[in-house]
Amino acid sequence: MSKHVGNWAPILMAALFAAPSLAADDVPLNKDLTAVIALQGLPCGQVVSVKQQGDRDYIASCQDGNRYHVFVNAAGRVVAQKQ
Amino acid sequence: MSDSPIERRPEEQLTPLACIVALLVVLLTAGCGGVNQAQPSKAPETGATPGGAAAVEPGGRPTTLPSSHPTGKSVTKTASPTAKASAKLPASPAHTEPLGKKVSAAPAAEKQQASAPLDLASLETRLKETKAIGLFTKIALKNQVDDLLNEFRAYYQGSLKTTLAQLRQRYDLLLLKVLSLLQDSDQSLATAVGASREAIWGILADPKKFAAI
């Protein structure tokens, strides 16, 4: 048993330490779009699902049922349009 | 023969009585001593003096108080507040210490704010590089910062009918948004931004400094 544990221990340790670092690397898109919609002062709660339409162009579905078209326009502004 | 018992009786009766009286006096004084020392112990509860806590330390009095139990209920009643006081004692230094720290920390924070070296360039770089805020959010924040700067520009040019107080409100709101985004994942940057709050406002609110941005 101890040999098995010894073999798995490094992998387990690596997995434990790798997971938080991967999570911390990038903000999840859901969270990013949630923050964007909140910054615009629009009701949403949390973004529960995202559908990509193009480069920097998404449809975000919110917890409260609202849907927003979030994209960066030609002027470089982030726009959240209610659908 | 008959005289001797009569002469001895008062001595024999007095010695136990004297002992009891002496014991009662000792116990009563001990009880009073406990009551007197319980009063200073209330001082630290109010956080009046930290020295009171040291005075209460001899509140190892519980060791003397049990001996006062046989004296009567009045003593035990006086003992209970001391017991409560001693029970609260561990909390009282804890209350006084943070208060003291807060009092000393507040001026320190003010000094930090006053003397905080405002490095806008490094703040900007840190905001760009932080992983606490997503790309879309960063763009949206930059949009709002640009909007606010445009409002300041228009205000100084006289083309925008608003007051400096209203601009301050918008500035505070924007800063709150940034802080709320940073505080969970990048506390050091949130602290740096928070510490630079007044310094940044000092630049924005001064037309000459603002023009030099």
Side-chain angles (χ1 to χ4, degrees), chain A residues 24-25 27 32 35-36 39 56 58 70 72 76-78, chain B residues 131-137 139-140 143-144 147 177 181:
Chain A
D25 267 349
V27 176
D32 195 9
V36 167
L39 277 173
R56 295 184 180 182
Y58 298 93
V70 183
V72 180
R77 293 189 69 89
V78 174
Chain B
K131 289 169 182 172
I133 305 175
L135 181 64
F136 265 90
T137 314
I139 296 170
N143 293 157
Q144 295 195 2
D147 290 346
K177 287 176 183 175
L181 288 165

Side-chain angles (χ1 to χ4, degrees), chain A:
Chain A
M1 276 297 284
S2 62
K3 279 183 183 177
H4 287 293
V5 172
N7 290 337
W8 282 99
I11 298 164
L12 281 170
M13 291 296 283
L16 280 171
F17 286 104
S21 65
L22 281 173
D25 267 349
D26 292 309
V27 176
L29 189 60
N30 285 14
K31 196 179 171 186
D32 195 9
L33 294 180
T34 300
V36 167
I37 293 164
L39 277 173
Q40 309 285 338
L42 299 167
C44 177
Q46 280 189 330
V47 170
V48 288
S49 69
V50 179
K51 186 181 172 187
Q52 187 162 9
Q53 290 202 317
D55 184 33
R56 295 184 180 182
D57 192 337
Y58 298 93
I59 299 291
S61 301
C62 298
Q63 200 174 20
D64 63 0
N66 281 313
R67 289 177 74 199
Y68 294 97
H69 180 204
V70 183
F71 62 99
V72 180
N73 68 10
R77 293 189 69 89
V78 174
V79 180
Q81 285 177 339
K82 193 171 178 181
Q83 296 247 301

Side-chain angles (χ1 to χ4, degrees), chain B residues 181-193:
Chain B
L181 288 165
L182 290 174
Q183 65 190 1
D184 290 333
S185 307
D186 197 342
Q187 285 191 343
S188 65
L189 184 53
T191 309
V193 170

Side-chain angles (χ1 to χ4, degrees), chain B residues 32-180:
Chain B
C32 290
V35 171
N36 284 336
Q37 287 195 352
Q39 285 168 348
S41 74
K42 287 175 183 176
E45 279 177 28
T46 56
T49 55
V56 179
E57 269 186 8
R61 288 290 163 189
T63 53
T64 58
L65 284 172
S67 67
S68 65
H69 278 284
T71 56
K73 286 178 184 176
S74 62
V75 178
T76 53
K77 278 180 185 174
T78 54
S80 62
T82 58
K84 282 178 186 174
S86 63
K88 286 177 183 176
L89 276 179
S92 62
H95 278 297
T96 53
E97 280 179 12
L99 279 174
K101 280 179 185 174
K102 277 179 187 174
V103 169
S104 63
E110 284 175 5
K111 280 179 188 174
Q112 268 192 344
Q113 279 189 351
S115 63
L118 180 66
D119 190 353
L120 280 175
S122 90
L123 268 183
E124 192 181 344
T125 309
R126 286 176 71 183
L127 277 168
K128 277 180 183 173
E129 290 176 354
T130 186
K131 289 169 182 172
I133 305 175
L135 181 64
F136 265 90
T137 314
K138 280 178 187 172
I139 296 170
L141 275 175
K142 192 185 177 300
N143 293 157
Q144 295 195 2
V145 169
D146 288 343
D147 290 346
L148 187 64
L149 289 175
N150 285 335
E151 284 183 25
F152 269 95
R153 215 162 279 132
Y155 170 73
Y156 288 129
Q157 286 170 358
S159 58
L160 184 68
K161 288 181 181 179
T162 187
T163 62
L164 202 60
Q166 285 174 327
L167 288 173
R168 171 75 198 215
Q169 269 191 337
R170 284 176 204 166
Y171 167 74
D172 283 340
L173 185 63
L174 185 54
L175 217 66
L176 274 177
K177 287 176 183 175
V178 175
L179 288 175
S180 67

